[in-house]
Amino acid sequence: MSKAGPGSPEDGACGPAAPAPAVEAPAVGSPAVDTSPTGTADVPTARTDASPAPALAPPAPAPAPPASAAPAAAQAAPPAPAGPVDAVPAGPPVAPEPFDPWAPPSEAETAAPGVFGHAAGPTPPPADRPQPPAGWAQSPPGWTAPATGWGAVTPGAVSGFQGMYAYPPRPTNGLAIGSLVTALTCLSPVALVLGVIALVQIHKRQERGRGMAVAGVVLGVLGLLLGALTAFGLALDDQDGSTPGRPVGPRGSVTWDKVAKGDCYNPAPGAGDADQQVSWVTKVPCSLPHHSEAAGTAAIAPAEGGGYPGEDKILKSADALCKPVFDSYVLDDWAVPDGVGLSYMYPTRGSWRASGGSLICVLEDVEASHKGSLRTDRTTLTPAQLAYLEAVKPLNAAAEDIPEDEVADAPADYRAWAATMAEATQQEGEKLAAIAWPEAAKGPGEAMVASKPAAVEAWHAVKTARDGAELARAVQRAKALLRDSVGEAKAVRAALGLSTGEHPGDLQV
């Protein structure tokens, strides 16, 4: 057996490296053959660049050399080494494809045992891979092209990167959703309770929906506050009388506060007696039988702050408030029938606002009904009638102030009353004399004027009486003259077209 030459496989990896024999440069276009021995892994061949040759994509096969040149190349070149070589195409190098660490390994990478971590020998180049042209540096013996795909991703290459794990999303708390929904539907108490429970559950379970729960709680609290303020305002309004809360009345009836000046009415059926406080009345024409006639309204002084002043205060002030109303509505008190009295309808706490803070002054007969209006004001009288009523009004008012006690028990009161009557009688005579009497009333009017001086003298006698007996006789004489003037007044009234069927208060005997 022949002795192995230097660089043969028998030398092993640790044997000395023999110098590479000189090789004739191949012609352009022919493949370059690596002449380095396979056992020279310790001494890498110098390359034209300082860095190792990058892995290149397999290029297209180079064209075969001419047939004439093939024997010469075969004679000059030794057998091809078993180690891997870099396939370098002719011309400029082609840029490698981008490295994709997540791409699945190719069949070649899967078959390579070195990818999985155990030792492997040099990988021979594919048979169809062309050799680099002359002048290009060769790959060092034992160098293997870096793996691509999944095989290139080694544990050390990830530098501590552990990857991602897909956690399931946190669920949304159902009570939080319910709290927001109920808050938007104005169920504030439910929204508040659900929101509080949802916040507790979200904290314990690490669920989502905290924003919805907080919104439900806030809206629930605001809804409760708004409801409380509304209820409080309604309570105050009801206390002040802004919400009467009256039910529907009988058919054809109206509330008492809808009665106006000059309206005649009867109590609505089932609304109470005519002499009681009623809520509903039935208006009727004054030409039909009726119990009541409204003379007008009088404003009630409200309590401090504009609220209801109270029933006691209204009752104490009602008479004084309605007297001017009656005096202006009924200038002829002779037209008021017997049994008709002065009354009023006043608001309760519940109807305070609806009434406008006023009471209605009423001429009313509880027992009997009457026909016709009692209205005798400036809108219904002639000039002569109005002048006559205004002339006799002071004396009629003074006559109503007669002392209640007997003359012997109150002599001073009778003397004072007599002084007032004397002055009122004097003024009445002067005003009657100034009236432009119609022709039919001229005679009765002048006769009435002529009787006034005697009446004035009689009342002066009451004032100057020296003792009780003289005072009593003077009072009787003055009253007799006053009774006689009633006949004179009836004649004048008849001539003027005024009422003569009723008495002027306490003057009729």
Side-chain angles (χ1 to χ4, degrees):
M1 182 173 75
S2 61
K3 185 178 178 179
S8 64
E10 287 80 1
D11 293 340
C14 298
V23 180
E24 182 180 355
V28 176
S30 62
V33 180
D34 187 1
T35 59
S36 300
T38 58
T40 60
D42 294 339
V43 182
T45 304
R47 300 179 58 90
T48 56
D49 53 352
S51 59
L56 300 178
S68 59
Q75 295 177 2
V85 297
D86 290 337
V88 180
V94 180
E97 296 182 359
F99 174 69
D100 184 5
W102 308 110
S106 64
E107 295 180 359
E109 292 171 344
T110 304
V115 173
F116 297 94
H118 54 270
T123 303
D128 57 351
R129 178 175 296 181
Q131 298 299 322
W136 283 62
Q138 302 299 314
S139 300
W143 180 83
T144 304
T148 60
W150 289 97
V153 183
T154 61
V158 297
S159 302
F161 176 72
Q162 300 301 325
M164 297 179 61
Y165 294 91
Y167 289 97
R170 293 184 300 164
T172 302
N173 188 274
L175 293 181
I177 300 175
S179 175
L180 181 59
V181 172
T182 52
L184 295 177
T185 55
C186 299
L187 299 176
S188 300
V190 179
L192 180 59
V193 174
L194 294 180
V196 173
I197 297 176
L199 289 176
V200 175
Q201 292 182 353
I202 290 172
H203 178 72
K204 291 182 179 180
R205 303 175 184 177
Q206 296 298 313
E207 295 177 326
R208 296 188 301 171
R210 178 180 177 83
M212 290 185 289
V214 172
V217 171
V218 172
L219 293 177
V221 172
L222 293 178
L224 290 177
L225 291 177
L226 181 60
L229 291 176
T230 302
F232 182 71
L234 292 177
L236 290 180
D237 289 343
D238 182 67
Q239 183 178 6
D240 291 339
S242 62
T243 54
R246 287 172 274 182
V248 177
R251 184 175 181 180
S253 61
V254 297
T255 54
W256 70 270
D257 52 276
K258 299 299 187 293
V259 176
K261 180 180 180 179
D263 289 343
C264 297
Y265 64 91
N266 291 313
D273 298 333
D275 60 341
Q276 301 296 326
Q277 296 182 14
V278 294
S279 297
W280 304 93
V281 298
T282 303
K283 292 183 181 182
V284 296
C286 293
S287 58
L288 298 179
H290 57 273
H291 287 274
S292 306
E293 182 177 349
T297 60
I300 304 172
E304 185 176 356
Y308 185 67
E311 186 175 357
D312 293 340
K313 184 177 181 180
I314 293 176
L315 294 177
K316 290 179 180 178
S317 60
D319 290 334
L321 292 174
C322 280
K323 189 177 186 307
V325 177
F326 292 133
D327 292 342
S328 62
Y329 189 79
V330 183
L331 295 178
D332 187 7
D333 54 2
W334 281 38
V336 179
D338 291 335
V340 175
L342 307 181
S343 183
Y344 44 83
M345 293 189 295
Y346 61 93
T348 60
R349 185 179 298 276
S351 60
W352 170 251
R353 293 283 179 85
S355 67
S358 301
L359 53 83
I360 300 178
C361 305
V362 179
L363 296 167
E364 188 174 59
D365 190 342
V366 178
E367 301 296 335
S369 60
H370 302 272
K371 294 182 180 180
S373 175
L374 303 179
R375 186 172 188 172
T376 53
D377 57 7
R378 296 178 181 273
T379 63
T380 62
L381 300 174
T382 64
Q385 291 173 339
L386 182 59
Y388 171 78
L389 293 176
E390 289 181 347
V392 300
K393 187 175 181 178
L395 181 59
N396 292 338
E400 293 178 358
D401 292 336
I402 184 174
E404 297 179 357
D405 298 332
E406 296 295 333
V407 177
D409 297 332
D413 293 342
Y414 276 90
R415 285 189 172 91
W417 177 57
T420 302
M421 290 295 292
E423 184 178 358
T425 303
Q426 181 69 33
Q427 293 178 358
E428 181 180 290
E430 295 174 355
K431 290 181 179 180
L432 290 174
I435 294 176
W437 298 101
E439 192 62 30
K442 190 172 184 179
E446 292 177 352
M448 190 175 182
V449 173
S451 65
K452 295 305 175 181
V456 172
E457 184 179 350
W459 292 112
H460 279 299
V462 174
K463 290 194 306 179
T464 58
R466 291 171 294 183
D467 52 27
E470 185 177 352
L471 177 62
R473 290 192 298 269
V475 170
Q476 290 296 327
R477 181 174 179 273
K479 284 184 176 182
L481 292 175
L482 185 60
R483 287 191 297 269
D484 294 340
S485 67
V486 173
E488 297 173 353
K490 285 184 177 181
V492 174
R493 285 174 170 274
L496 293 176
L498 295 174
S499 174
T500 60
E502 305 295 336
H503 63 85
D506 295 333
L507 297 183
Q508 184 172 353
V509 295

Short mmCIF file of all heavy atoms in Angstrom, two decimals, residues 285-334:
data_model
loop_
_atom_site.label_atom_id
_atom_site.label_comp_id
_atom_site.label_asym_id
_atom_site.label_seq_id
_atom_site.Cartn_x
_atom_site.Cartn_y
_atom_site.Cartn_z
N PRO A 285 -128.24 83.18 34.76
CA PRO A 285 -128.57 84.58 34.48
C PRO A 285 -129.27 85.22 35.68
O PRO A 285 -130.04 84.57 36.39
CB PRO A 285 -129.51 84.48 33.27
CG PRO A 285 -129.21 83.16 32.65
CD PRO A 285 -128.84 82.26 33.78
N CYS A 286 -129.00 86.49 35.91
CA CYS A 286 -129.59 87.17 37.07
C CYS A 286 -131.11 87.30 36.95
O CYS A 286 -131.79 87.54 37.95
CB CYS A 286 -128.96 88.54 37.24
SG CYS A 286 -127.21 88.49 37.72
N SER A 287 -131.66 87.14 35.75
CA SER A 287 -133.11 87.19 35.60
C SER A 287 -133.80 85.93 36.12
O SER A 287 -135.01 85.92 36.33
CB SER A 287 -133.47 87.39 34.12
OG SER A 287 -132.92 86.34 33.33
N LEU A 288 -133.02 84.86 36.35
CA LEU A 288 -133.56 83.62 36.90
C LEU A 288 -133.36 83.59 38.41
O LEU A 288 -132.52 84.32 38.96
CB LEU A 288 -132.87 82.42 36.26
CG LEU A 288 -133.04 82.25 34.75
CD1 LEU A 288 -132.27 81.04 34.26
CD2 LEU A 288 -134.51 82.16 34.37
N PRO A 289 -134.12 82.77 39.12
CA PRO A 289 -133.97 82.71 40.59
C PRO A 289 -132.54 82.30 40.96
O PRO A 289 -131.98 81.36 40.40
CB PRO A 289 -134.98 81.65 41.00
CG PRO A 289 -136.01 81.66 39.91
CD PRO A 289 -135.25 81.94 38.65
N HIS A 290 -132.02 82.99 41.91
CA HIS A 290 -130.66 82.70 42.37
C HIS A 290 -130.53 83.13 43.83
O HIS A 290 -131.29 83.96 44.32
CB HIS A 290 -129.63 83.43 41.52
CG HIS A 290 -129.81 84.91 41.49
ND1 HIS A 290 -130.64 85.54 40.59
CD2 HIS A 290 -129.28 85.91 42.26
CE1 HIS A 290 -130.62 86.85 40.78
NE2 HIS A 290 -129.80 87.09 41.81
N HIS A 291 -129.54 82.58 44.48
CA HIS A 291 -129.29 82.88 45.89
C HIS A 291 -128.20 83.92 46.09
O HIS A 291 -128.19 84.61 47.11
CB HIS A 291 -128.89 81.60 46.64
CG HIS A 291 -130.00 80.64 46.88
ND1 HIS A 291 -130.84 80.72 47.96
CD2 HIS A 291 -130.41 79.58 46.15
CE1 HIS A 291 -131.72 79.74 47.91
NE2 HIS A 291 -131.49 79.02 46.81
N SER A 292 -127.26 84.01 45.16
CA SER A 292 -126.07 84.84 45.40
C SER A 292 -125.75 85.67 44.17
O SER A 292 -126.05 85.28 43.04
CB SER A 292 -124.87 83.96 45.76
OG SER A 292 -125.17 83.11 46.85
N GLU A 293 -125.12 86.82 44.45
CA GLU A 293 -124.63 87.69 43.39
C GLU A 293 -123.29 88.27 43.84
O GLU A 293 -123.17 88.80 44.97
CB GLU A 293 -125.62 88.81 43.11
CG GLU A 293 -125.21 89.74 41.99
CD GLU A 293 -126.25 90.79 41.68
OE1 GLU A 293 -127.39 90.68 42.19
OE2 GLU A 293 -125.94 91.75 40.93
N ALA A 294 -122.29 88.17 42.97
CA ALA A 294 -120.95 88.63 43.31
C ALA A 294 -120.85 90.13 43.11
O ALA A 294 -121.14 90.64 42.02
CB ALA A 294 -119.91 87.91 42.46
N ALA A 295 -120.45 90.86 44.16
CA ALA A 295 -120.30 92.31 44.08
C ALA A 295 -118.90 92.72 43.65
O ALA A 295 -118.69 93.85 43.19
CB ALA A 295 -120.62 92.94 45.43
N GLY A 296 -117.92 91.83 43.78
CA GLY A 296 -116.55 92.17 43.41
C GLY A 296 -115.56 91.39 44.25
O GLY A 296 -115.92 90.52 45.05
N THR A 297 -114.31 91.70 44.06
CA THR A 297 -113.23 91.02 44.78
C THR A 297 -112.43 92.02 45.60
O THR A 297 -112.40 93.22 45.30
CB THR A 297 -112.29 90.30 43.81
OG1 THR A 297 -111.71 91.26 42.91
CG2 THR A 297 -113.03 89.24 43.01
N ALA A 298 -111.78 91.51 46.63
CA ALA A 298 -110.91 92.32 47.48
C ALA A 298 -109.63 91.55 47.73
O ALA A 298 -109.66 90.36 48.05
CB ALA A 298 -111.60 92.65 48.80
N ALA A 299 -108.51 92.22 47.56
CA ALA A 299 -107.21 91.57 47.72
C ALA A 299 -106.91 91.35 49.20
O ALA A 299 -107.15 92.21 50.04
CB ALA A 299 -106.10 92.41 47.09
N ILE A 300 -106.36 90.19 49.50
CA ILE A 300 -105.98 89.82 50.86
C ILE A 300 -104.48 90.05 51.01
O ILE A 300 -103.69 89.68 50.14
CB ILE A 300 -106.32 88.35 51.15
CG1 ILE A 300 -107.81 88.10 50.90
CG2 ILE A 300 -105.96 87.97 52.57
CD1 ILE A 300 -108.18 86.63 50.98
N ALA A 301 -104.13 90.65 52.12
CA ALA A 301 -102.70 90.85 52.37
C ALA A 301 -102.04 89.50 52.63
O ALA A 301 -102.44 88.78 53.54
CB ALA A 301 -102.50 91.77 53.57
N PRO A 302 -101.05 89.12 51.81
CA PRO A 302 -100.42 87.81 52.01
C PRO A 302 -99.52 87.81 53.22
O PRO A 302 -99.17 88.85 53.78
CB PRO A 302 -99.63 87.61 50.71
CG PRO A 302 -99.29 89.00 50.28
CD PRO A 302 -100.46 89.86 50.68
N ALA A 303 -99.13 86.62 53.61
CA ALA A 303 -98.18 86.49 54.70
C ALA A 303 -96.80 86.90 54.21
O ALA A 303 -96.58 87.16 53.02
CB ALA A 303 -98.17 85.05 55.20
N GLU A 304 -95.87 86.98 55.11
CA GLU A 304 -94.52 87.36 54.75
C GLU A 304 -93.94 86.32 53.79
O GLU A 304 -93.97 85.13 54.05
CB GLU A 304 -93.65 87.46 56.00
CG GLU A 304 -92.24 87.97 55.74
CD GLU A 304 -91.44 88.13 57.02
OE1 GLU A 304 -92.03 87.92 58.09
OE2 GLU A 304 -90.26 88.46 56.93
N GLY A 305 -93.45 86.77 52.65
CA GLY A 305 -92.96 85.87 51.64
C GLY A 305 -93.98 85.54 50.58
O GLY A 305 -93.69 84.77 49.67
N GLY A 306 -95.18 86.11 50.67
CA GLY A 306 -96.21 85.88 49.66
C GLY A 306 -97.02 84.63 49.85
O GLY A 306 -97.75 84.24 48.95
N GLY A 307 -96.93 83.97 51.00
CA GLY A 307 -97.67 82.74 51.24
C GLY A 307 -99.06 82.98 51.80
O GLY A 307 -99.54 84.12 51.92
N TYR A 308 -99.70 81.89 52.13
CA TYR A 308 -101.06 81.93 52.66
C TYR A 308 -101.04 82.57 54.05
O TYR A 308 -100.30 82.14 54.93
CB TYR A 308 -101.61 80.52 52.71
CG TYR A 308 -103.06 80.43 53.13
CD1 TYR A 308 -104.06 80.92 52.32
CD2 TYR A 308 -103.42 79.84 54.34
CE1 TYR A 308 -105.39 80.83 52.68
CE2 TYR A 308 -104.75 79.73 54.72
CZ TYR A 308 -105.73 80.23 53.88
OH TYR A 308 -107.05 80.13 54.25
N PRO A 309 -101.87 83.61 54.29
CA PRO A 309 -101.82 84.31 55.58
C PRO A 309 -102.49 83.57 56.72
O PRO A 309 -102.29 83.93 57.88
CB PRO A 309 -102.53 85.63 55.28
CG PRO A 309 -103.48 85.30 54.19
CD PRO A 309 -102.81 84.26 53.35
N GLY A 310 -103.29 82.58 56.41
CA GLY A 310 -104.01 81.87 57.46
C GLY A 310 -105.48 82.24 57.49
O GLY A 310 -105.87 83.38 57.19
N GLU A 311 -106.32 81.28 57.86
CA GLU A 311 -107.77 81.50 57.84
C GLU A 311 -108.19 82.54 58.87
O GLU A 311 -109.09 83.37 58.60
CB GLU A 311 -108.48 80.17 58.10
CG GLU A 311 -109.98 80.25 57.97
CD GLU A 311 -110.63 78.89 58.10
OE1 GLU A 311 -109.89 77.89 58.24
OE2 GLU A 311 -111.87 78.82 58.08
N ASP A 312 -107.60 82.54 60.03
CA ASP A 312 -108.01 83.50 61.08
C ASP A 312 -107.77 84.93 60.63
O ASP A 312 -108.63 85.82 60.84
CB ASP A 312 -107.23 83.22 62.36
CG ASP A 312 -107.61 81.88 62.99
OD1 ASP A 312 -108.71 81.38 62.65
OD2 ASP A 312 -106.82 81.34 63.78
N LYS A 313 -106.65 85.18 60.02
CA LYS A 313 -106.35 86.54 59.56
C LYS A 313 -107.31 86.98 58.47
O LYS A 313 -107.72 88.15 58.43
CB LYS A 313 -104.90 86.59 59.06
CG LYS A 313 -104.45 87.98 58.66
CD LYS A 313 -102.99 87.98 58.24
CE LYS A 313 -102.54 89.38 57.86
NZ LYS A 313 -101.10 89.40 57.46
N ILE A 314 -107.68 86.06 57.60
CA ILE A 314 -108.61 86.41 56.51
C ILE A 314 -109.97 86.76 57.10
O ILE A 314 -110.61 87.75 56.69
CB ILE A 314 -108.71 85.25 55.52
CG1 ILE A 314 -107.38 85.06 54.78
CG2 ILE A 314 -109.82 85.51 54.51
CD1 ILE A 314 -107.36 83.88 53.84
N LEU A 315 -110.46 85.96 58.04
CA LEU A 315 -111.79 86.20 58.61
C LEU A 315 -111.85 87.52 59.38
O LEU A 315 -112.88 88.19 59.38
CB LEU A 315 -112.18 85.04 59.53
CG LEU A 315 -112.38 83.68 58.83
CD1 LEU A 315 -112.68 82.60 59.86
CD2 LEU A 315 -113.49 83.78 57.80
N LYS A 316 -110.77 87.90 60.00
CA LYS A 316 -110.76 89.15 60.75
C LYS A 316 -110.78 90.37 59.84
O LYS A 316 -111.32 91.43 60.23
CB LYS A 316 -109.52 89.21 61.64
CG LYS A 316 -109.57 88.23 62.81
CD LYS A 316 -108.29 88.32 63.64
CE LYS A 316 -108.33 87.34 64.81
NZ LYS A 316 -107.08 87.39 65.62
N SER A 317 -110.21 90.24 58.67
CA SER A 317 -110.12 91.39 57.77
C SER A 317 -111.16 91.38 56.66
O SER A 317 -111.25 92.35 55.91
CB SER A 317 -108.73 91.45 57.14
OG SER A 317 -108.47 90.27 56.39
N ALA A 318 -111.96 90.32 56.55
CA ALA A 318 -112.88 90.19 55.41
C ALA A 318 -113.95 91.28 55.41
O ALA A 318 -114.27 91.85 54.36
CB ALA A 318 -113.52 88.81 55.42
N ASP A 319 -114.57 91.57 56.55
CA ASP A 319 -115.64 92.57 56.60
C ASP A 319 -115.13 93.95 56.17
O ASP A 319 -115.79 94.64 55.37
CB ASP A 319 -116.23 92.65 58.01
CG ASP A 319 -117.02 91.40 58.36
OD1 ASP A 319 -117.52 90.74 57.42
OD2 ASP A 319 -117.13 91.07 59.56
N ALA A 320 -113.98 94.33 56.70
CA ALA A 320 -113.44 95.63 56.33
C ALA A 320 -113.04 95.69 54.86
O ALA A 320 -113.15 96.74 54.21
CB ALA A 320 -112.24 95.95 57.22
N LEU A 321 -112.56 94.55 54.31
CA LEU A 321 -112.15 94.54 52.91
C LEU A 321 -113.34 94.61 51.96
O LEU A 321 -113.26 95.22 50.89
CB LEU A 321 -111.34 93.26 52.63
CG LEU A 321 -109.96 93.17 53.29
CD1 LEU A 321 -109.34 91.79 53.03
CD2 LEU A 321 -109.03 94.26 52.78
N CYS A 322 -114.47 93.99 52.35
CA CYS A 322 -115.63 93.93 51.45
C CYS A 322 -116.55 95.15 51.56
O CYS A 322 -117.36 95.36 50.64
CB CYS A 322 -116.44 92.66 51.75
SG CYS A 322 -115.73 91.17 51.00
N LYS A 323 -116.47 95.93 52.62
CA LYS A 323 -117.39 97.06 52.76
C LYS A 323 -117.27 98.07 51.61
O LYS A 323 -118.30 98.48 51.03
CB LYS A 323 -117.17 97.76 54.09
CG LYS A 323 -118.23 98.80 54.40
CD LYS A 323 -118.00 99.41 55.77
CE LYS A 323 -119.15 100.35 56.13
NZ LYS A 323 -119.43 101.37 55.11
N PRO A 324 -116.07 98.49 51.23
CA PRO A 324 -115.99 99.40 50.07
C PRO A 324 -116.51 98.76 48.78
O PRO A 324 -117.06 99.47 47.92
CB PRO A 324 -114.49 99.71 49.96
CG PRO A 324 -113.93 99.42 51.30
CD PRO A 324 -114.73 98.29 51.83
N VAL A 325 -116.37 97.47 48.66
CA VAL A 325 -116.86 96.78 47.46
C VAL A 325 -118.38 96.85 47.41
O VAL A 325 -118.98 97.15 46.36
CB VAL A 325 -116.37 95.32 47.47
CG1 VAL A 325 -116.95 94.56 46.27
CG2 VAL A 325 -114.85 95.26 47.44
N PHE A 326 -119.03 96.60 48.54
CA PHE A 326 -120.49 96.66 48.58
C PHE A 326 -120.99 98.09 48.34
O PHE A 326 -121.99 98.31 47.64
CB PHE A 326 -121.00 96.15 49.92
CG PHE A 326 -120.79 94.67 50.12
CD1 PHE A 326 -120.26 94.19 51.30
CD2 PHE A 326 -121.13 93.77 49.14
CE1 PHE A 326 -120.08 92.84 51.50
CE2 PHE A 326 -120.95 92.41 49.32
CZ PHE A 326 -120.42 91.94 50.50
N ASP A 327 -120.34 99.06 48.97
CA ASP A 327 -120.79 100.45 48.83
C ASP A 327 -120.72 100.93 47.39
O ASP A 327 -121.56 101.71 46.94
CB ASP A 327 -119.95 101.36 49.71
CG ASP A 327 -120.21 101.12 51.20
OD1 ASP A 327 -121.26 100.51 51.51
OD2 ASP A 327 -119.36 101.52 52.03
N SER A 328 -119.71 100.48 46.64
CA SER A 328 -119.59 100.91 45.25
C SER A 328 -120.49 100.10 44.32
O SER A 328 -120.87 100.58 43.25
CB SER A 328 -118.13 100.78 44.79
OG SER A 328 -117.69 99.43 44.85
N TYR A 329 -120.84 98.88 44.72
CA TYR A 329 -121.69 98.04 43.86
C TYR A 329 -123.18 98.33 44.08
O TYR A 329 -123.97 98.28 43.15
CB TYR A 329 -121.41 96.57 44.16
CG TYR A 329 -122.05 95.60 43.21
CD1 TYR A 329 -121.51 95.35 41.96
CD2 TYR A 329 -123.22 94.90 43.57
CE1 TYR A 329 -122.10 94.45 41.09
CE2 TYR A 329 -123.81 94.00 42.70
CZ TYR A 329 -123.24 93.78 41.46
OH TYR A 329 -123.83 92.89 40.58
N VAL A 330 -123.54 98.61 45.32
CA VAL A 330 -124.95 98.87 45.67
C VAL A 330 -125.04 100.29 46.24
O VAL A 330 -124.89 100.49 47.45
CB VAL A 330 -125.48 97.83 46.67
CG1 VAL A 330 -126.96 98.09 46.96
CG2 VAL A 330 -125.28 96.42 46.14
N LEU A 331 -125.26 101.25 45.37
CA LEU A 331 -125.45 102.62 45.85
C LEU A 331 -126.86 102.83 46.41
O LEU A 331 -127.06 103.69 47.27
CB LEU A 331 -125.21 103.60 44.70
CG LEU A 331 -123.77 103.64 44.14
CD1 LEU A 331 -123.69 104.61 42.98
CD2 LEU A 331 -122.79 104.00 45.23
N ASP A 332 -127.80 102.05 45.96
CA ASP A 332 -129.18 102.15 46.45
C ASP A 332 -129.46 100.97 47.36
O ASP A 332 -129.80 99.87 46.90
CB ASP A 332 -130.15 102.16 45.27
CG ASP A 332 -131.59 102.43 45.72
OD1 ASP A 332 -131.79 102.72 46.92
OD2 ASP A 332 -132.48 102.32 44.87
N ASP A 333 -129.31 101.17 48.65
CA ASP A 333 -129.54 100.06 49.57
C ASP A 333 -131.02 99.71 49.70
O ASP A 333 -131.37 98.66 50.23
CB ASP A 333 -128.95 100.37 50.94
CG ASP A 333 -129.43 101.69 51.50
OD1 ASP A 333 -130.25 102.36 50.84
OD2 ASP A 333 -128.98 102.07 52.60
N TRP A 334 -131.92 100.56 49.20
CA TRP A 334 -133.33 100.23 49.20
C TRP A 334 -133.63 99.09 48.21
O TRP A 334 -134.65 98.42 48.33
CB TRP A 334 -134.17 101.45 48.81
CG TRP A 334 -134.36 102.43 49.93
CD1 TRP A 334 -133.48 102.80 50.87
CD2 TRP A 334 -135.55 103.15 50.18
NE1 TRP A 334 -133.98 103.73 51.71
CE2 TRP A 334 -135.29 103.98 51.31
CE3 TRP A 334 -136.80 103.24 49.56
CZ2 TRP A 334 -136.23 104.85 51.85
CZ3 TRP A 334 -137.75 104.12 50.11
CH2 TRP A 334 -137.46 104.91 51.24
#
